[in-house]
């Protein structure tokens, strides 16, 4: 199912997006990640990522947003992106979590050629519990998250629908 929001923005609904997984977890940190991609079958890549995260004992999936198709920013000569939000819990510290997410990006074919380049899978840590981190390798909350439709729209959907997914 899809819902056109504007000429450039469309929400997509599928088996895993949006979805409510676990209601409780004893893991320590509540983490919100943004996922995006525009190379290959992005929906299939996202579904495989969900499968991997579900099987990975380091994470407890809580919920996902619908997927948002939106135009690229920065480098504009590329296909539209598909973006979504995943909420999960983990006991990993922020830097170990970052490394784990970068390994998933590589597993799904991510190549870092230049900033805002097309990609198979991009995983951004939007929020990590209530932590504020500003190092060379990691900035939390994610820089510019509040000005990106690709984060705001799926995140707002999750906030509104927390109880009835």
């Amino acid at each position: 199912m899809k819902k056109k929001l504007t000429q450039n923005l469309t929400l997509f609904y599928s088996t895993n997006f949006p979805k409510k997984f676990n209601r409780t977890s004893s893991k320590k940190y509540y983490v919100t990640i943004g996922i995006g991609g525009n190379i290959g079958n992005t929906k299939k890549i996202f579904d495989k990522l969900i499968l991997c995260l579900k099987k990975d004992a380091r994470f407890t999936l809580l919920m996902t947003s619908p997927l948002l198709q939106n135009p690229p920013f920065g480098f504009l000569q590329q296909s539209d992106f598909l973006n979504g939000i995943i909420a999960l819990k983990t006991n990993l510290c922020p830097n170990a979590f970052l490394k784990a997410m970068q390994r998933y990006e590589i597993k799904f074919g991510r190549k870092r050629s230049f900033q805002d380049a097309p990609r198979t899978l991009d995983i951004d840590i939007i929020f990590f519990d209530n932590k504020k981190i500003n190092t060379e390798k990691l900035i939390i909350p994610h820089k510019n998250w509040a000005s990106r439709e690709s984060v705001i729209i799926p995140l707002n959907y999750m906030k509104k629908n927390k109880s009835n997914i």
Side-chain angles (χ1 to χ4, degrees):
M1 186 177 98
K2 67 181 181 177
K3 179 181 177 183
K4 199 151 184 69
L5 302 178
T6 68
Q7 186 180 344
N8 294 326
L9 303 172
T10 304
L11 278 177
F12 287 89
Y13 300 80
S14 65
T15 309
N16 287 316
F17 298 93
K19 186 171 184 175
K20 187 125 184 163
F21 293 88
N22 298 287
R23 294 200 181 276
T24 58
S25 169
S26 60
K27 292 187 172 66
K28 199 171 175 179
Y29 303 115
Y30 184 94
V31 184
T32 305
I33 60 173
I35 58 173
N38 69 342
I39 294 176
N41 187 337
T42 307
K43 286 180 188 172
K44 196 173 188 174
I45 291 169
F46 289 177
D47 284 338
K48 286 181 178 178
L49 175 66
I50 290 292
L51 244 163
C52 289
L53 292 172
K54 274 174 76 171
K55 288 180 185 174
D56 193 325
R58 299 172 298 174
F59 311 113
T60 302
L61 286 176
L62 300 174
M63 68 189 293
T64 60
S65 72
L67 299 175
L68 178 71
Q69 182 178 340
N70 55 287
F73 58 85
F75 177 66
L76 303 178
Q77 285 70 47
Q78 61 181 319
S79 303
D80 282 358
F81 274 81
L82 212 51
N83 292 91
I85 299 288
I86 300 172
L88 53 83
K89 290 195 87 176
T90 187
N91 286 328
L92 294 178
C93 71
N95 284 316
F97 184 82
L98 173 65
K99 283 190 178 101
M101 293 303 108
Q102 288 172 335
R103 279 192 211 97
Y104 277 119
E105 288 179 337
I106 291 164
K107 176 183 174 125
F108 288 103
R110 171 81 189 260
K111 307 261 187 285
R112 294 183 183 270
S113 49
F114 59 91
Q115 189 172 348
D116 300 327
R119 59 204 82 153
T120 53
L121 178 63
D122 181 34
I123 302 174
D124 292 330
I125 304 170
I126 309 299
F127 305 112
F128 195 101
D129 232 36
N130 291 317
K131 295 187 180 301
K132 288 186 180 0
I133 300 170
N134 192 345
T135 64
E136 195 176 309
K137 290 183 181 177
L138 186 58
I139 297 172
I140 296 175
H142 189 277
K143 194 174 154 195
N144 302 326
W145 74 269
S147 60
R148 293 188 180 171
E149 290 173 322
S150 58
V151 174
I152 301 287
I153 293 170
L155 204 51
N156 282 340
Y157 177 92
M158 285 173 66
K159 283 181 185 173
K160 278 191 251 171
N161 295 285
K162 252 187 178 169
S163 59
N164 59 0
I165 288 182

